[in-house]
Amino acid sequence: MTSASYIFLAGASRGVGREIAQYLIAQQLKVKALLRKAAVASELEKIGIEVVLGDALNIGDVERAMVTDKPIHTVISTIGGLPSDVERPDYPGNRNLIDAAVKAGVQKFILVSSIGAGNSVVAASPQVLEVLGKVLAEKDKAEQHLIASGLTYTIIRPGGLKSEPATGNGILTEDPHIIGSINRADVAQLVGRCLNSQRANNKILSAVDRNMLFGQREFAEFSLE
């Protein structure tokens, strides 16, 4: 990271993305956020984030936001649709972000996906797969597109998300069988720590709280140092 380069954040309006935005600013990093709606723009600008209005589903918007004379070091995407969305951005929106990142010469891309995507489908219950199967399939396509892009990547798959303050007990593992819950603020901390971790490069990691695991399975914790 240089002092001139930015972190480009997609999904900052709510949830994990909002927590990541706050975490990055607390680390005194320069952040540019792509927002679809102006509603929360002033809140983000107030804490020092540069806001660009645009829709991740529109490749023109994404390129205009990303391919500029201001270098972007890392793109972080937490975008995902709501059940009410006509077109969910989980795959097409992330595909646009990944393609624009390649064009912009970005150093690293951190994708926040979900346990249940890709080979971690083994961790999800039949009930979860019944409700979220289509979404998880879209997230898997986004993961595969990122892996094939040639970018240095880190894919983080959180378990069930909670909106409590950070516990500091968030952990990462390469074991796709692990499932549990984690607070959004702890996911943000893990994402932030992956920014400068060489060990996290080109890894797919599940994220859970060590005290919120489902089941007693033994597993190896992934160290970012």
Side-chain angles (χ1 to χ4, degrees), residues 21-84:
Q22 292 167 337
Y23 178 87
L24 295 175
I25 289 297
Q27 302 299 310
Q28 299 184 314
L29 294 166
K30 290 164 76 170
V31 183
K32 184 190 281 192
L34 179 71
L35 283 188
R36 196 171 42 171
K37 294 174 183 161
V40 295
S42 60
E43 291 172 38
L44 293 175
E45 286 169 341
K46 214 174 281 179
I47 63 169
I49 290 173
E50 182 182 327
V51 171
V52 185
L53 289 177
D55 191 337
L57 290 170
N58 182 323
I59 186 64
D61 286 0
V62 178
E63 287 188 355
R64 190 172 64 251
M66 217 184 279
V67 185
T68 70
D69 57 358
K70 294 177 180 175
I72 294 167
H73 183 276
T74 302
V75 174
I76 301 173
S77 175
T78 68
I79 63 171
L82 296 168
S84 55

Short mmCIF file of all heavy atoms in Angstrom, two decimals, residues 21-84:
data_model
loop_
_atom_site.label_atom_id
_atom_site.label_comp_id
_atom_site.label_asym_id
_atom_site.label_seq_id
_atom_site.Cartn_x
_atom_site.Cartn_y
_atom_site.Cartn_z
N ALA A 21 -16.07 -0.42 5.83
CA ALA A 21 -15.82 1.02 5.57
C ALA A 21 -15.33 1.70 6.85
O ALA A 21 -14.32 2.43 6.84
CB ALA A 21 -17.09 1.68 5.06
N GLN A 22 -16.02 1.45 7.94
CA GLN A 22 -15.64 2.08 9.21
C GLN A 22 -14.28 1.58 9.69
O GLN A 22 -13.46 2.36 10.20
CB GLN A 22 -16.72 1.81 10.26
CG GLN A 22 -18.02 2.55 9.94
CD GLN A 22 -19.21 2.07 10.77
OE1 GLN A 22 -19.23 0.96 11.27
NE2 GLN A 22 -20.21 2.92 10.88
N TYR A 23 -14.02 0.29 9.52
CA TYR A 23 -12.74 -0.28 9.94
C TYR A 23 -11.59 0.34 9.14
O TYR A 23 -10.55 0.71 9.71
CB TYR A 23 -12.76 -1.81 9.75
CG TYR A 23 -11.46 -2.47 10.13
CD1 TYR A 23 -11.22 -2.86 11.44
CD2 TYR A 23 -10.45 -2.69 9.18
CE1 TYR A 23 -10.01 -3.46 11.80
CE2 TYR A 23 -9.25 -3.28 9.54
CZ TYR A 23 -9.03 -3.66 10.85
OH TYR A 23 -7.84 -4.24 11.20
N LEU A 24 -11.74 0.45 7.82
CA LEU A 24 -10.66 0.98 6.98
C LEU A 24 -10.36 2.43 7.31
O LEU A 24 -9.19 2.84 7.35
CB LEU A 24 -11.05 0.85 5.50
CG LEU A 24 -11.20 -0.58 4.95
CD1 LEU A 24 -11.70 -0.54 3.52
CD2 LEU A 24 -9.90 -1.36 5.04
N ILE A 25 -11.40 3.22 7.55
CA ILE A 25 -11.19 4.63 7.91
C ILE A 25 -10.49 4.74 9.26
O ILE A 25 -9.61 5.58 9.45
CB ILE A 25 -12.55 5.39 7.91
CG1 ILE A 25 -13.05 5.56 6.46
CG2 ILE A 25 -12.42 6.75 8.59
CD1 ILE A 25 -12.16 6.39 5.54
N ALA A 26 -10.84 3.85 10.19
CA ALA A 26 -10.17 3.84 11.50
C ALA A 26 -8.68 3.53 11.35
O ALA A 26 -7.86 3.96 12.16
CB ALA A 26 -10.83 2.83 12.44
N GLN A 27 -8.33 2.79 10.28
CA GLN A 27 -6.93 2.47 9.98
C GLN A 27 -6.26 3.57 9.15
O GLN A 27 -5.12 3.43 8.71
CB GLN A 27 -6.83 1.15 9.21
CG GLN A 27 -7.44 -0.05 9.91
CD GLN A 27 -6.78 -0.36 11.24
OE1 GLN A 27 -5.56 -0.45 11.31
NE2 GLN A 27 -7.58 -0.50 12.28
N GLN A 28 -6.99 4.66 8.94
CA GLN A 28 -6.51 5.84 8.19
C GLN A 28 -6.12 5.50 6.74
O GLN A 28 -5.16 6.03 6.19
CB GLN A 28 -5.33 6.49 8.93
CG GLN A 28 -5.73 6.97 10.33
CD GLN A 28 -4.62 7.71 11.04
OE1 GLN A 28 -3.48 7.27 11.04
NE2 GLN A 28 -4.95 8.83 11.65
N LEU A 29 -6.90 4.61 6.15
CA LEU A 29 -6.70 4.28 4.74
C LEU A 29 -7.62 5.12 3.87
O LEU A 29 -8.67 5.59 4.32
CB LEU A 29 -6.99 2.79 4.52
CG LEU A 29 -6.00 1.84 5.23
CD1 LEU A 29 -6.54 0.42 5.25
CD2 LEU A 29 -4.64 1.88 4.55
N LYS A 30 -7.21 5.33 2.63
CA LYS A 30 -8.03 6.10 1.69
C LYS A 30 -9.03 5.15 1.04
O LYS A 30 -8.64 4.13 0.47
CB LYS A 30 -7.15 6.76 0.63
CG LYS A 30 -6.30 7.90 1.18
CD LYS A 30 -5.20 8.26 0.23
CE LYS A 30 -5.71 9.07 -0.94
NZ LYS A 30 -4.59 9.63 -1.74
N VAL A 31 -10.31 5.49 1.14
CA VAL A 31 -11.36 4.59 0.67
C VAL A 31 -12.27 5.30 -0.33
O VAL A 31 -12.71 6.42 -0.11
CB VAL A 31 -12.21 4.07 1.86
CG1 VAL A 31 -13.26 3.07 1.37
CG2 VAL A 31 -11.34 3.44 2.92
N LYS A 32 -12.52 4.60 -1.42
CA LYS A 32 -13.51 5.06 -2.39
C LYS A 32 -14.62 4.01 -2.43
O LYS A 32 -14.35 2.81 -2.51
CB LYS A 32 -12.88 5.18 -3.78
CG LYS A 32 -13.83 5.75 -4.85
CD LYS A 32 -13.23 5.61 -6.25
CE LYS A 32 -12.20 6.67 -6.52
NZ LYS A 32 -11.84 6.70 -7.98
N ALA A 33 -15.87 4.45 -2.32
CA ALA A 33 -16.99 3.51 -2.27
C ALA A 33 -17.93 3.71 -3.44
O ALA A 33 -18.27 4.85 -3.78
CB ALA A 33 -17.76 3.67 -0.95
N LEU A 34 -18.33 2.60 -4.05
CA LEU A 34 -19.33 2.64 -5.12
C LEU A 34 -20.70 2.45 -4.47
O LEU A 34 -20.95 1.44 -3.81
CB LEU A 34 -19.06 1.50 -6.11
CG LEU A 34 -20.06 1.39 -7.29
CD1 LEU A 34 -19.87 2.55 -8.27
CD2 LEU A 34 -19.88 0.06 -8.01
N LEU A 35 -21.56 3.44 -4.65
CA LEU A 35 -22.90 3.38 -4.06
C LEU A 35 -23.95 3.46 -5.15
O LEU A 35 -23.86 4.29 -6.06
CB LEU A 35 -23.14 4.55 -3.10
CG LEU A 35 -22.51 4.52 -1.71
CD1 LEU A 35 -23.04 5.67 -0.90
CD2 LEU A 35 -22.79 3.21 -0.99
N ARG A 36 -24.95 2.60 -5.04
CA ARG A 36 -26.03 2.60 -6.03
C ARG A 36 -27.01 3.74 -5.78
O ARG A 36 -27.56 4.31 -6.71
CB ARG A 36 -26.77 1.26 -5.97
CG ARG A 36 -27.65 0.97 -7.17
CD ARG A 36 -28.17 -0.44 -7.15
NE ARG A 36 -28.59 -0.87 -5.83
CZ ARG A 36 -29.23 -1.99 -5.59
NH1 ARG A 36 -29.51 -2.82 -6.56
NH2 ARG A 36 -29.58 -2.32 -4.37
N LYS A 37 -27.23 4.05 -4.49
CA LYS A 37 -28.19 5.10 -4.13
C LYS A 37 -27.51 6.15 -3.28
O LYS A 37 -26.65 5.84 -2.47
CB LYS A 37 -29.38 4.49 -3.38
CG LYS A 37 -30.20 3.55 -4.24
CD LYS A 37 -31.27 2.86 -3.43
CE LYS A 37 -32.04 1.87 -4.31
NZ LYS A 37 -32.76 0.88 -3.50
N ALA A 38 -27.95 7.41 -3.47
CA ALA A 38 -27.31 8.53 -2.77
C ALA A 38 -27.71 8.61 -1.29
O ALA A 38 -27.11 9.38 -0.54
CB ALA A 38 -27.66 9.84 -3.48
N ALA A 39 -28.68 7.80 -0.88
CA ALA A 39 -29.25 7.93 0.47
C ALA A 39 -28.21 7.94 1.59
O ALA A 39 -28.31 8.75 2.52
CB ALA A 39 -30.26 6.81 0.71
N VAL A 40 -27.22 7.04 1.52
CA VAL A 40 -26.24 6.98 2.61
C VAL A 40 -24.91 7.66 2.26
O VAL A 40 -23.95 7.61 3.03
CB VAL A 40 -25.96 5.52 3.04
CG1 VAL A 40 -27.19 4.88 3.64
CG2 VAL A 40 -25.44 4.68 1.88
N ALA A 41 -24.87 8.32 1.09
CA ALA A 41 -23.61 8.94 0.64
C ALA A 41 -23.07 9.93 1.67
O ALA A 41 -21.88 9.92 1.99
CB ALA A 41 -23.81 9.63 -0.70
N SER A 42 -23.95 10.79 2.21
CA SER A 42 -23.48 11.82 3.15
C SER A 42 -22.91 11.21 4.42
O SER A 42 -21.93 11.71 4.98
CB SER A 42 -24.61 12.80 3.49
OG SER A 42 -25.68 12.11 4.09
N GLU A 43 -23.49 10.09 4.87
CA GLU A 43 -22.98 9.41 6.07
C GLU A 43 -21.56 8.92 5.84
O GLU A 43 -20.69 9.04 6.71
CB GLU A 43 -23.86 8.22 6.44
CG GLU A 43 -25.25 8.58 6.95
CD GLU A 43 -26.12 7.33 7.11
OE1 GLU A 43 -25.58 6.30 7.54
OE2 GLU A 43 -27.32 7.40 6.79
N LEU A 44 -21.31 8.35 4.65
CA LEU A 44 -19.98 7.84 4.34
C LEU A 44 -18.98 8.97 4.11
O LEU A 44 -17.83 8.90 4.54
CB LEU A 44 -20.03 6.91 3.13
CG LEU A 44 -20.80 5.59 3.32
CD1 LEU A 44 -20.89 4.82 2.02
CD2 LEU A 44 -20.15 4.72 4.39
N GLU A 45 -19.44 10.02 3.44
CA GLU A 45 -18.56 11.18 3.18
C GLU A 45 -18.15 11.85 4.50
O GLU A 45 -17.03 12.33 4.64
CB GLU A 45 -19.26 12.17 2.25
CG GLU A 45 -19.31 11.67 0.82
CD GLU A 45 -20.22 12.48 -0.09
OE1 GLU A 45 -21.09 13.21 0.42
OE2 GLU A 45 -20.06 12.38 -1.31
N LYS A 46 -19.06 11.82 5.46
CA LYS A 46 -18.80 12.44 6.77
C LYS A 46 -17.62 11.77 7.47
O LYS A 46 -16.88 12.42 8.20
CB LYS A 46 -20.05 12.32 7.64
CG LYS A 46 -20.27 13.48 8.59
CD LYS A 46 -21.61 13.37 9.31
CE LYS A 46 -22.75 13.84 8.42
NZ LYS A 46 -24.06 13.73 9.09
N ILE A 47 -17.44 10.47 7.25
CA ILE A 47 -16.31 9.79 7.93
C ILE A 47 -15.05 9.75 7.04
O ILE A 47 -14.05 9.13 7.39
CB ILE A 47 -16.68 8.37 8.42
CG1 ILE A 47 -17.05 7.43 7.26
CG2 ILE A 47 -17.80 8.42 9.45
CD1 ILE A 47 -17.17 5.96 7.66
N GLY A 48 -15.13 10.41 5.88
CA GLY A 48 -13.93 10.58 5.05
C GLY A 48 -13.82 9.68 3.84
O GLY A 48 -12.74 9.53 3.27
N ILE A 49 -14.95 9.07 3.44
CA ILE A 49 -14.92 8.18 2.28
C ILE A 49 -15.32 8.95 1.02
O ILE A 49 -16.27 9.73 1.04
CB ILE A 49 -15.87 6.99 2.50
CG1 ILE A 49 -15.27 6.06 3.58
CG2 ILE A 49 -16.11 6.20 1.22
CD1 ILE A 49 -16.17 4.94 4.02
N GLU A 50 -14.59 8.72 -0.06
CA GLU A 50 -14.96 9.32 -1.34
C GLU A 50 -16.03 8.43 -1.98
O GLU A 50 -15.83 7.23 -2.14
CB GLU A 50 -13.73 9.38 -2.26
CG GLU A 50 -14.00 10.04 -3.60
CD GLU A 50 -12.79 10.04 -4.51
OE1 GLU A 50 -11.65 10.14 -4.00
OE2 GLU A 50 -12.99 9.93 -5.73
N VAL A 51 -17.16 9.02 -2.30
CA VAL A 51 -18.29 8.25 -2.82
C VAL A 51 -18.44 8.46 -4.32
O VAL A 51 -18.36 9.60 -4.81
CB VAL A 51 -19.61 8.64 -2.10
CG1 VAL A 51 -20.81 8.00 -2.78
CG2 VAL A 51 -19.55 8.21 -0.64
N VAL A 52 -18.63 7.37 -5.05
CA VAL A 52 -18.94 7.43 -6.47
C VAL A 52 -20.29 6.74 -6.66
O VAL A 52 -20.45 5.59 -6.26
CB VAL A 52 -17.88 6.70 -7.33
CG1 VAL A 52 -18.16 6.89 -8.81
CG2 VAL A 52 -16.49 7.17 -7.00
N LEU A 53 -21.24 7.46 -7.24
CA LEU A 53 -22.55 6.86 -7.47
C LEU A 53 -22.52 6.01 -8.74
O LEU A 53 -22.00 6.44 -9.77
CB LEU A 53 -23.63 7.93 -7.58
CG LEU A 53 -23.98 8.65 -6.27
CD1 LEU A 53 -25.01 9.74 -6.51
CD2 LEU A 53 -24.51 7.68 -5.22
N GLY A 54 -23.05 4.82 -8.64
CA GLY A 54 -23.08 3.93 -9.80
C GLY A 54 -23.60 2.56 -9.39
O GLY A 54 -23.64 2.22 -8.21
N ASP A 55 -24.00 1.79 -10.38
CA ASP A 55 -24.57 0.47 -10.15
C ASP A 55 -23.58 -0.60 -10.60
O ASP A 55 -23.11 -0.58 -11.73
CB ASP A 55 -25.88 0.35 -10.95
CG ASP A 55 -26.69 -0.88 -10.57
OD1 ASP A 55 -26.10 -1.85 -10.04
OD2 ASP A 55 -27.91 -0.88 -10.83
N ALA A 56 -23.27 -1.53 -9.70
CA ALA A 56 -22.34 -2.60 -10.05
C ALA A 56 -22.84 -3.44 -11.22
O ALA A 56 -22.04 -4.09 -11.91
CB ALA A 56 -22.08 -3.49 -8.84
N LEU A 57 -24.14 -3.42 -11.47
CA LEU A 57 -24.70 -4.18 -12.59
C LEU A 57 -24.46 -3.48 -13.94
O LEU A 57 -24.75 -4.04 -14.98
CB LEU A 57 -26.19 -4.41 -12.38
CG LEU A 57 -26.53 -5.40 -11.25
CD1 LEU A 57 -28.02 -5.38 -10.94
CD2 LEU A 57 -26.09 -6.81 -11.61
N ASN A 58 -23.93 -2.26 -13.88
CA ASN A 58 -23.65 -1.49 -15.10
C ASN A 58 -22.13 -1.38 -15.26
O ASN A 58 -21.48 -0.65 -14.52
CB ASN A 58 -24.30 -0.11 -14.99
CG ASN A 58 -24.10 0.72 -16.24
OD1 ASN A 58 -23.05 0.69 -16.88
ND2 ASN A 58 -25.12 1.48 -16.61
N ILE A 59 -21.57 -2.11 -16.22
CA ILE A 59 -20.11 -2.14 -16.38
C ILE A 59 -19.55 -0.74 -16.65
O ILE A 59 -18.45 -0.40 -16.21
CB ILE A 59 -19.68 -3.14 -17.49
CG1 ILE A 59 -18.14 -3.27 -17.56
CG2 ILE A 59 -20.25 -2.77 -18.84
CD1 ILE A 59 -17.48 -3.85 -16.34
N GLY A 60 -20.32 0.10 -17.35
CA GLY A 60 -19.88 1.48 -17.61
C GLY A 60 -19.70 2.27 -16.32
O GLY A 60 -18.70 2.98 -16.14
N ASP A 61 -20.65 2.12 -15.40
CA ASP A 61 -20.55 2.79 -14.09
C ASP A 61 -19.31 2.31 -13.34
O ASP A 61 -18.58 3.11 -12.74
CB ASP A 61 -21.78 2.47 -13.22
CG ASP A 61 -23.04 3.21 -13.66
OD1 ASP A 61 -22.97 3.99 -14.64
OD2 ASP A 61 -24.09 3.01 -13.02
N VAL A 62 -19.09 1.01 -13.37
CA VAL A 62 -17.99 0.43 -12.61
C VAL A 62 -16.64 0.89 -13.18
O VAL A 62 -15.75 1.29 -12.42
CB VAL A 62 -18.07 -1.12 -12.60
CG1 VAL A 62 -16.88 -1.72 -11.86
CG2 VAL A 62 -19.37 -1.58 -11.96
N GLU A 63 -16.51 0.87 -14.49
CA GLU A 63 -15.24 1.29 -15.09
C GLU A 63 -14.99 2.77 -14.86
O GLU A 63 -13.85 3.18 -14.59
CB GLU A 63 -15.25 0.98 -16.59
CG GLU A 63 -15.11 -0.52 -16.87
CD GLU A 63 -14.90 -0.83 -18.34
OE1 GLU A 63 -14.97 0.10 -19.18
OE2 GLU A 63 -14.68 -2.02 -18.66
N ARG A 64 -16.04 3.57 -14.93
CA ARG A 64 -15.88 5.01 -14.71
C ARG A 64 -15.39 5.27 -13.27
O ARG A 64 -14.60 6.17 -13.03
CB ARG A 64 -17.21 5.73 -14.94
CG ARG A 64 -17.10 7.26 -14.97
CD ARG A 64 -18.38 7.92 -15.40
NE ARG A 64 -19.46 7.68 -14.43
CZ ARG A 64 -20.51 6.90 -14.66
NH1 ARG A 64 -20.62 6.28 -15.83
NH2 ARG A 64 -21.44 6.73 -13.75
N ALA A 65 -15.86 4.46 -12.34
CA ALA A 65 -15.47 4.63 -10.93
C ALA A 65 -14.07 4.10 -10.65
O ALA A 65 -13.35 4.63 -9.80
CB ALA A 65 -16.48 3.90 -10.03
N MET A 66 -13.68 3.06 -11.39
CA MET A 66 -12.44 2.36 -11.05
C MET A 66 -11.26 2.70 -11.94
O MET A 66 -10.12 2.78 -11.47
CB MET A 66 -12.71 0.85 -11.12
CG MET A 66 -12.00 0.06 -10.05
SD MET A 66 -12.25 -1.72 -10.25
CE MET A 66 -13.84 -1.92 -9.51
N VAL A 67 -11.49 2.87 -13.22
CA VAL A 67 -10.38 3.12 -14.15
C VAL A 67 -10.17 4.63 -14.23
O VAL A 67 -10.72 5.33 -15.08
CB VAL A 67 -10.68 2.53 -15.55
CG1 VAL A 67 -9.47 2.70 -16.46
CG2 VAL A 67 -11.05 1.05 -15.44
N THR A 68 -9.36 5.14 -13.29
CA THR A 68 -9.08 6.58 -13.20
C THR A 68 -7.58 6.77 -13.04
O THR A 68 -6.81 5.81 -13.03
CB THR A 68 -9.81 7.22 -11.99
OG1 THR A 68 -9.17 6.76 -10.79
CG2 THR A 68 -11.29 6.86 -11.97
N ASP A 69 -7.17 8.03 -12.87
CA ASP A 69 -5.73 8.30 -12.67
C ASP A 69 -5.32 8.11 -11.21
O ASP A 69 -4.17 8.30 -10.86
CB ASP A 69 -5.37 9.69 -13.18
CG ASP A 69 -6.19 10.78 -12.51
OD1 ASP A 69 -7.07 10.45 -11.68
OD2 ASP A 69 -5.95 11.97 -12.80
N LYS A 70 -6.29 7.76 -10.35
CA LYS A 70 -5.96 7.49 -8.95
C LYS A 70 -5.81 5.97 -8.78
O LYS A 70 -6.79 5.24 -8.95
CB LYS A 70 -7.08 8.01 -8.04
CG LYS A 70 -7.22 9.52 -8.05
CD LYS A 70 -8.40 9.93 -7.17
CE LYS A 70 -8.56 11.44 -7.18
NZ LYS A 70 -9.77 11.85 -6.44
N PRO A 71 -4.61 5.50 -8.47
CA PRO A 71 -4.41 4.05 -8.40
C PRO A 71 -5.21 3.39 -7.28
O PRO A 71 -5.31 3.92 -6.18
CB PRO A 71 -2.91 3.91 -8.16
CG PRO A 71 -2.47 5.21 -7.58
CD PRO A 71 -3.39 6.26 -8.14
N ILE A 72 -5.79 2.24 -7.60
CA ILE A 72 -6.51 1.45 -6.61
C ILE A 72 -5.63 0.26 -6.25
O ILE A 72 -5.23 -0.51 -7.12
CB ILE A 72 -7.86 0.96 -7.18
CG1 ILE A 72 -8.78 2.15 -7.42
CG2 ILE A 72 -8.52 -0.02 -6.21
CD1 ILE A 72 -10.00 1.81 -8.25
N HIS A 73 -5.33 0.12 -4.98
CA HIS A 73 -4.50 -1.00 -4.55
C HIS A 73 -5.33 -2.28 -4.45
O HIS A 73 -4.96 -3.31 -5.00
CB HIS A 73 -3.86 -0.71 -3.19
CG HIS A 73 -2.95 -1.80 -2.72
ND1 HIS A 73 -3.40 -2.93 -2.06
CD2 HIS A 73 -1.60 -1.97 -2.85
CE1 HIS A 73 -2.39 -3.72 -1.80
NE2 HIS A 73 -1.28 -3.16 -2.26
N THR A 74 -6.47 -2.18 -3.75
CA THR A 74 -7.29 -3.36 -3.51
C THR A 74 -8.76 -3.04 -3.72
O THR A 74 -9.23 -1.97 -3.33
CB THR A 74 -7.11 -3.88 -2.07
OG1 THR A 74 -5.73 -4.17 -1.84
CG2 THR A 74 -7.94 -5.12 -1.79
N VAL A 75 -9.47 -3.96 -4.34
CA VAL A 75 -10.94 -3.88 -4.41
C VAL A 75 -11.49 -4.86 -3.37
O VAL A 75 -11.03 -6.00 -3.28
CB VAL A 75 -11.47 -4.26 -5.81
CG1 VAL A 75 -13.00 -4.31 -5.81
CG2 VAL A 75 -10.98 -3.26 -6.85
N ILE A 76 -12.45 -4.39 -2.59
CA ILE A 76 -13.16 -5.26 -1.64
C ILE A 76 -14.63 -5.24 -2.04
O ILE A 76 -15.23 -4.16 -2.14
CB ILE A 76 -13.01 -4.78 -0.19
CG1 ILE A 76 -11.54 -4.73 0.23
CG2 ILE A 76 -13.81 -5.68 0.76
CD1 ILE A 76 -11.29 -4.09 1.59
N SER A 77 -15.20 -6.40 -2.28
CA SER A 77 -16.62 -6.47 -2.63
C SER A 77 -17.39 -7.32 -1.63
O SER A 77 -17.02 -8.46 -1.36
CB SER A 77 -16.82 -7.04 -4.03
OG SER A 77 -18.22 -7.21 -4.27
N THR A 78 -18.46 -6.72 -1.12
CA THR A 78 -19.38 -7.47 -0.24
C THR A 78 -20.77 -7.51 -0.86
O THR A 78 -21.73 -7.82 -0.18
CB THR A 78 -19.48 -6.81 1.15
OG1 THR A 78 -20.15 -5.54 1.02
CG2 THR A 78 -18.11 -6.59 1.77
N ILE A 79 -20.86 -7.15 -2.15
CA ILE A 79 -22.20 -6.99 -2.71
C ILE A 79 -22.95 -8.32 -2.82
O ILE A 79 -22.37 -9.36 -3.11
CB ILE A 79 -22.20 -6.26 -4.09
CG1 ILE A 79 -21.44 -7.06 -5.15
CG2 ILE A 79 -21.66 -4.86 -3.97
CD1 ILE A 79 -21.61 -6.49 -6.54
N GLY A 80 -24.20 -8.21 -2.56
CA GLY A 80 -25.10 -9.36 -2.66
C GLY A 80 -26.51 -8.80 -2.70
O GLY A 80 -26.76 -7.69 -2.23
N GLY A 81 -27.41 -9.57 -3.26
CA GLY A 81 -28.76 -9.07 -3.42
C GLY A 81 -29.64 -9.27 -2.20
O GLY A 81 -29.28 -9.96 -1.25
N LEU A 82 -30.79 -8.65 -2.24
CA LEU A 82 -31.84 -8.89 -1.26
C LEU A 82 -32.87 -9.82 -1.91
O LEU A 82 -33.00 -9.84 -3.14
CB LEU A 82 -32.50 -7.56 -0.87
CG LEU A 82 -31.59 -6.54 -0.17
CD1 LEU A 82 -32.26 -5.17 -0.11
CD2 LEU A 82 -31.21 -7.01 1.22
N PRO A 83 -33.62 -10.57 -1.09
CA PRO A 83 -34.62 -11.48 -1.68
C PRO A 83 -35.60 -10.77 -2.61
O PRO A 83 -36.12 -11.37 -3.54
CB PRO A 83 -35.34 -12.03 -0.45
CG PRO A 83 -34.33 -11.94 0.65
CD PRO A 83 -33.54 -10.68 0.37
N SER A 84 -35.80 -9.46 -2.37
CA SER A 84 -36.77 -8.70 -3.17
C SER A 84 -36.20 -8.24 -4.52
O SER A 84 -36.93 -7.76 -5.39
CB SER A 84 -37.23 -7.47 -2.39
OG SER A 84 -36.10 -6.70 -1.99
#
